[in-house]
PDB file of all heavy atoms in Angstrom:
ATOM      1  N   LEU A  60       1.901  11.285  13.458  1.00 91.00           N
ATOM      2  CA  LEU A  60       3.363  10.774  13.058  1.00 91.00           C
ATOM      3  C   LEU A  60       3.927  11.481  11.880  1.00 91.00           C
ATOM      4  O   LEU A  60       5.118  11.869  11.764  1.00 91.00           O
ATOM      5  CB  LEU A  60       3.289   9.305  12.866  1.00 91.00           C
ATOM      6  CG  LEU A  60       4.588   8.594  12.481  1.00 91.00           C
ATOM      7  CD1 LEU A  60       5.655   8.736  13.437  1.00 91.00           C
ATOM      8  CD2 LEU A  60       4.440   7.052  12.257  1.00 91.00           C
ATOM      9  N   ILE A  61       3.059  11.684  10.816  1.00 90.00           N
ATOM     10  CA  ILE A  61       3.486  12.438   9.687  1.00 90.00           C
ATOM     11  C   ILE A  61       3.867  13.875   9.989  1.00 90.00           C
ATOM     12  O   ILE A  61       4.881  14.390   9.538  1.00 90.00           O
ATOM     13  CB  ILE A  61       2.289  12.315   8.675  1.00 90.00           C
ATOM     14  CG1 ILE A  61       2.133  10.953   8.153  1.00 90.00           C
ATOM     15  CG2 ILE A  61       2.683  13.281   7.534  1.00 90.00           C
ATOM     16  CD1 ILE A  61       0.805  10.892   7.180  1.00 90.00           C
ATOM     17  N   LEU A  62       3.017  14.494  10.833  1.00 91.00           N
ATOM     18  CA  LEU A  62       3.423  15.821  11.222  1.00 91.00           C
ATOM     19  C   LEU A  62       4.583  16.052  11.936  1.00 91.00           C
ATOM     20  O   LEU A  62       5.429  16.885  11.713  1.00 91.00           O
ATOM     21  CB  LEU A  62       2.102  16.579  11.998  1.00 91.00           C
ATOM     22  CG  LEU A  62       0.805  16.596  11.232  1.00 91.00           C
ATOM     23  CD1 LEU A  62      -0.318  17.155  12.278  1.00 91.00           C
ATOM     24  CD2 LEU A  62       0.983  17.571  10.051  1.00 91.00           C
ATOM     25  N   TRP A  63       4.870  15.029  12.982  1.00 92.00           N
ATOM     26  CA  TRP A  63       6.038  15.134  13.856  1.00 92.00           C
ATOM     27  C   TRP A  63       7.320  14.923  12.774  1.00 92.00           C
ATOM     28  O   TRP A  63       8.267  15.572  13.018  1.00 92.00           O
ATOM     29  CB  TRP A  63       6.069  14.104  14.870  1.00 92.00           C
ATOM     30  CG  TRP A  63       5.291  14.568  16.119  1.00 92.00           C
ATOM     31  CD1 TRP A  63       4.007  14.342  16.492  1.00 92.00           C
ATOM     32  CD2 TRP A  63       5.823  15.587  17.085  1.00 92.00           C
ATOM     33  NE1 TRP A  63       3.610  15.037  17.778  1.00 92.00           N
ATOM     34  CE2 TRP A  63       4.759  15.781  18.059  1.00 92.00           C
ATOM     35  CE3 TRP A  63       7.044  16.240  17.231  1.00 92.00           C
ATOM     36  CZ2 TRP A  63       4.974  16.653  19.105  1.00 92.00           C
ATOM     37  CZ3 TRP A  63       7.241  17.060  18.205  1.00 92.00           C
ATOM     38  CH2 TRP A  63       6.174  17.305  19.211  1.00 92.00           C
ATOM     39  N   SER A  64       7.151  13.925  12.032  1.00 91.00           N
ATOM     40  CA  SER A  64       8.331  13.580  11.157  1.00 91.00           C
ATOM     41  C   SER A  64       8.626  14.689  10.189  1.00 91.00           C
ATOM     42  O   SER A  64       9.784  15.150   9.934  1.00 91.00           O
ATOM     43  CB  SER A  64       7.966  12.273  10.358  1.00 91.00           C
ATOM     44  OG  SER A  64       7.732  11.286  11.155  1.00 91.00           O
ATOM     45  N   THR A  65       7.527  15.317   9.696  1.00 91.00           N
ATOM     46  CA  THR A  65       7.853  16.494   8.730  1.00 91.00           C
ATOM     47  C   THR A  65       8.421  17.594   9.497  1.00 91.00           C
ATOM     48  O   THR A  65       9.330  18.331   8.959  1.00 91.00           O
ATOM     49  CB  THR A  65       6.477  16.900   8.123  1.00 91.00           C
ATOM     50  OG1 THR A  65       5.800  15.766   7.425  1.00 91.00           O
ATOM     51  CG2 THR A  65       6.588  18.049   7.117  1.00 91.00           C
ATOM     52  N   GLY A  66       7.854  17.863  10.810  1.00 92.00           N
ATOM     53  CA  GLY A  66       8.416  19.027  11.486  1.00 92.00           C
ATOM     54  C   GLY A  66       9.898  18.895  11.819  1.00 92.00           C
ATOM     55  O   GLY A  66      10.700  19.832  11.779  1.00 92.00           O
ATOM     56  N   LEU A  67      10.243  17.639  12.193  1.00 91.00           N
ATOM     57  CA  LEU A  67      11.672  17.309  12.520  1.00 91.00           C
ATOM     58  C   LEU A  67      12.538  17.496  11.312  1.00 91.00           C
ATOM     59  O   LEU A  67      13.729  18.043  11.433  1.00 91.00           O
ATOM     60  CB  LEU A  67      11.794  15.849  13.059  1.00 91.00           C
ATOM     61  CG  LEU A  67      11.367  15.710  14.440  1.00 91.00           C
ATOM     62  CD1 LEU A  67      11.307  14.117  14.897  1.00 91.00           C
ATOM     63  CD2 LEU A  67      12.153  16.472  15.571  1.00 91.00           C
ATOM     64  N   MET A  68      12.087  17.090  10.237  1.00 90.00           N
ATOM     65  CA  MET A  68      12.892  17.385   8.951  1.00 90.00           C
ATOM     66  C   MET A  68      13.011  18.718   8.509  1.00 90.00           C
ATOM     67  O   MET A  68      14.120  19.218   7.980  1.00 90.00           O
ATOM     68  CB  MET A  68      12.312  16.390   7.839  1.00 90.00           C
ATOM     69  CG  MET A  68      12.516  14.842   8.039  1.00 90.00           C
ATOM     70  SD  MET A  68      11.973  13.887   6.650  1.00 90.00           S
ATOM     71  CE  MET A  68      10.230  13.958   6.876  1.00 90.00           C
ATOM     72  N   LEU A  69      11.934  19.482   8.818  1.00 92.00           N
ATOM     73  CA  LEU A  69      11.999  20.801   8.423  1.00 92.00           C
ATOM     74  C   LEU A  69      12.968  21.640   9.298  1.00 92.00           C
ATOM     75  O   LEU A  69      13.340  22.802   8.920  1.00 92.00           O
ATOM     76  CB  LEU A  69      10.567  21.519   8.566  1.00 92.00           C
ATOM     77  CG  LEU A  69       9.581  21.009   7.449  1.00 92.00           C
ATOM     78  CD1 LEU A  69       8.257  21.736   7.685  1.00 92.00           C
ATOM     79  CD2 LEU A  69      10.054  21.501   5.967  1.00 92.00           C
ATOM     80  N   LEU A  70      13.217  21.201  10.520  1.00 90.00           N
ATOM     81  CA  LEU A  70      14.169  21.820  11.371  1.00 90.00           C
ATOM     82  C   LEU A  70      15.576  21.917  10.679  1.00 90.00           C
ATOM     83  O   LEU A  70      16.375  22.876  11.016  1.00 90.00           O
ATOM     84  CB  LEU A  70      14.523  21.020  12.661  1.00 90.00           C
ATOM     85  CG  LEU A  70      13.261  21.147  13.631  1.00 90.00           C
ATOM     86  CD1 LEU A  70      13.586  20.139  14.902  1.00 90.00           C
ATOM     87  CD2 LEU A  70      12.988  22.486  14.105  1.00 90.00           C
ATOM     88  N   ILE A  71      15.986  21.215   9.806  1.00 88.00           N
ATOM     89  CA  ILE A  71      17.233  21.252   9.025  1.00 88.00           C
ATOM     90  C   ILE A  71      17.013  21.807   7.732  1.00 88.00           C
ATOM     91  O   ILE A  71      17.911  22.470   7.063  1.00 88.00           O
ATOM     92  CB  ILE A  71      17.934  19.876   9.077  1.00 88.00           C
ATOM     93  CG1 ILE A  71      19.411  20.152   8.614  1.00 88.00           C
ATOM     94  CG2 ILE A  71      17.215  18.960   8.113  1.00 88.00           C
ATOM     95  CD1 ILE A  71      20.219  20.867   9.686  1.00 88.00           C
ATOM     96  N   ILE A  72      15.950  21.513   7.082  1.00 91.00           N
ATOM     97  CA  ILE A  72      15.589  21.956   5.641  1.00 91.00           C
ATOM     98  C   ILE A  72      15.497  23.545   5.567  1.00 91.00           C
ATOM     99  O   ILE A  72      16.035  24.168   4.763  1.00 91.00           O
ATOM    100  CB  ILE A  72      14.296  21.303   5.056  1.00 91.00           C
ATOM    101  CG1 ILE A  72      14.655  19.573   4.976  1.00 91.00           C
ATOM    102  CG2 ILE A  72      13.972  21.807   3.777  1.00 91.00           C
ATOM    103  CD1 ILE A  72      13.461  18.857   4.543  1.00 91.00           C
ATOM    104  N   ILE A  73      14.639  24.039   6.553  1.00 92.00           N
ATOM    105  CA  ILE A  73      14.327  25.461   6.451  1.00 92.00           C
ATOM    106  C   ILE A  73      15.556  26.382   6.716  1.00 92.00           C
ATOM    107  O   ILE A  73      15.847  27.249   5.887  1.00 92.00           O
ATOM    108  CB  ILE A  73      13.201  25.759   7.542  1.00 92.00           C
ATOM    109  CG1 ILE A  73      11.896  25.250   6.944  1.00 92.00           C
ATOM    110  CG2 ILE A  73      13.079  27.442   7.595  1.00 92.00           C
ATOM    111  CD1 ILE A  73      10.627  25.543   7.857  1.00 92.00           C
TER     112      ILE A  73
END
Side-chain angles (χ1 to χ4, degrees):
L60 176 62
I61 294 174
L62 293 175
W63 275 105
S64 302
T65 304
L67 287 172
M68 290 183 286
L69 288 177
L70 288 177
I71 194 67
I72 293 175
I73 292 178

